[in-house]
Amino acid sequence: MSLLANAKWNSFSQFFKIGIQLVNIVYLAKLIPPAEYGLMAMALVVLNMAILLRDLGTSAAIIQRKELTNSLINTVFWLNTFMGLALAVIVVLASPVIAEIYHQPKLIPVLMLLSITFPLSSCAAAHLALLERDSKFKKISGIEISSSMVSVIVAVVLANLGYGVYSLVFQAITLNLMSAIQFWLASSWRPFLREFIKLDELKSIFGFSANLSFFNFVNYFSRNADSFIIGKFMSVFILGNYSLAYRIMLFPLQSLTFIASRSLYPVLSRSQDNNADISKTYLNCVFVILLITAPLMSGLALLSKPFVLMVFGQQWSLVGDILKCLAPTAIIQSVLSTTGSVFMAKGRTDILMKLGIIGTILQVGAFLIGVHFDIITFALLYFVANVLNALPVMYCLLKLINSNFKDLIVKIAPVVGATIVMVVAMKFTIAHIGIDFISTFPRLISFSLFGGAIYFLSIAILSTQVRGVIKSVARKKYS
């Protein structure tokens, strides 16, 4: 299946999940108070770390390998399954200690329940990897959509019954349970007990998987250190606001980069020895991602205050201030999040690991400095750390695929130019009408459409690639 076909089905699945996230962010936020969201954010710090250890990069190795044996798949399956069970036990035993660190005894039952998700997801990881390797994203999207739909219904019902944070907990359990069952049914492969873990097979993927696992671990640490530091040294209220702002930032970021990375990896793995194809495919992918994220997140930064007040209410007003710094960060992360597909496809997870260490030092350093000030300064320093991290990552990636910064700059220059034109036009208009004028949904939507129209006209003028697409669509329409 081609990159476009992969992207089509991944987009279908992801856009549906966007609707699910909207329910989580908008509807559930009205039923679940900030402090309860803060509890879930604390639990997710532990949950996300355990998820990384559960897989150890072995599922990615299944996709990347040119030739795949049944013995390797079986070894990966049993390794992941045992890791999932072990992590569930560890989290249950460690939950009192973790709760004591946060000074939140309510975390204990939350963590114990969430530990159920580890064996559920780990026992289906190999089946999902096989489906992705064969680019069977139509099946995958159907599974993800149905699982998301049922899980959000569970969350909404429980939230309306007053279960608070447990609404989110049982949503996660339901999602993993339904996904695991359906991935098993969708894949024709089945595990066997004879020589269920072969050391020779593990050795063959050890270098790739070990480097990828270490990168995932340090990347997790840098991405979750902010929640841990805020929860430890600020307050649950501030963490709840920061967590919601971060989720809004990740909303388009996760959607687009998830589609791009998931669609790219199998395609690039098949072309791993052809740098010309990889370079062309990757730069086109970056262009499309920035084409959407750059104007979207720039507009969100400008309109964050009225957006938050209208959508979430006065109790979340701090979120609007935090978003002004986090929204531009999403633009940088939208590009950086796709780089892993290239390094993995080329089998250079060693470079990925080293870059992950550099990024972790920059981001955690920014957090440790920012916590001595206020949450706005904290978010601003997070943005600065991402800017500094982007330089070495893009340099190494472009060098690996025999490309350079000039090729990248030429490719994205029209998007940057059109975004600047849009931001200037919107700021000029706001300066004259006042931000308080945008105080109703119709005015917010109208002003957003105004910014979108400015951007569309600008990109159509500046980008030959966009003009070519517009002409192609026009010819098909009137032919």
Side-chain angles (χ1 to χ4, degrees), residues 25-39:
I25 293 175
V26 179
Y27 182 75
L28 293 181
K30 293 180 181 298
L31 299 175
I32 303 172
E36 293 279 294
Y37 259 99
L39 277 176

Side-chain angles (χ1 to χ4, degrees), residues 138-344:
K138 182 177 181 180
K139 283 186 177 180
I140 294 171
S141 65
I143 292 170
E144 292 177 341
I145 287 171
S146 60
S147 300
S148 298
M149 183 183 298
V150 174
S151 67
V152 80
I153 291 173
V154 169
V156 168
V157 170
L158 291 177
N160 277 285
L161 291 174
Y163 281 89
V165 68
Y166 292 102
S167 308
L168 304 175
V169 170
F170 282 101
Q171 180 183 21
I173 295 172
T174 303
L175 178 66
N176 281 274
L177 175 62
M178 287 204 60
S179 298
I181 293 172
Q182 291 183 88
F183 285 136
W184 268 71
L185 295 175
S187 175
S188 60
W189 182 85
R190 291 294 178 266
F192 51 89
L193 289 172
R194 181 174 52 85
E195 297 181 332
F196 58 92
I197 293 183
K198 296 187 69 175
L199 293 179
D200 289 344
E201 297 288 8
L202 282 180
K203 289 178 182 178
S204 70
I205 61 172
F206 178 78
F208 179 94
S209 298
N211 287 324
L212 180 57
S213 295
F214 192 78
F215 164 76
N216 286 335
F217 180 77
V218 297
N219 189 51
Y220 151 80
F221 184 74
S222 65
R223 285 182 177 272
N224 290 276
D226 50 354
S227 293
F228 176 80
I229 291 170
I230 294 171
K232 178 67 176 176
F233 298 105
M234 289 187 175
S235 69
V236 174
F237 174 79
I238 292 177
L239 178 57
N241 279 272
Y242 179 86
S243 178
L244 181 58
Y246 195 84
R247 290 183 69 184
I248 295 170
M249 178 198 80
L250 286 180
F251 187 66
L253 173 64
Q254 281 184 329
S255 301
L256 290 170
T257 57
F258 175 82
I259 293 168
S261 298
R262 199 181 205 185
S263 304
L264 268 175
Y265 185 38
V267 173
L268 295 183
S269 294
R270 289 193 289 268
S271 304
Q272 58 188 270
D273 298 323
N274 191 329
N275 280 337
D277 281 354
I278 290 179
S279 178
K280 181 180 178 181
T281 301
Y282 180 71
L283 291 178
N284 282 332
C285 183
V286 169
F287 175 82
V288 173
I289 287 173
L290 286 178
L291 186 70
I292 300 171
T293 58
L296 182 64
M297 301 312 292
S298 297
L300 180 60
L302 285 172
L303 302 175
S304 60
K305 201 69 177 180
F307 168 77
V308 169
L309 291 177
M310 275 183 274
V311 175
F312 302 104
Q314 186 64 40
Q315 64 171 335
W316 296 98
S317 60
L318 183 59
V319 172
D321 297 322
I322 299 172
L323 265 179
K324 291 183 185 296
C325 297
L326 289 186
T329 304
I331 299 174
I332 299 171
Q333 288 195 0
S334 68
V335 176
L336 293 182
S337 296
T338 63
T339 58
S341 296
V342 178
F343 289 114
M344 288 191 295

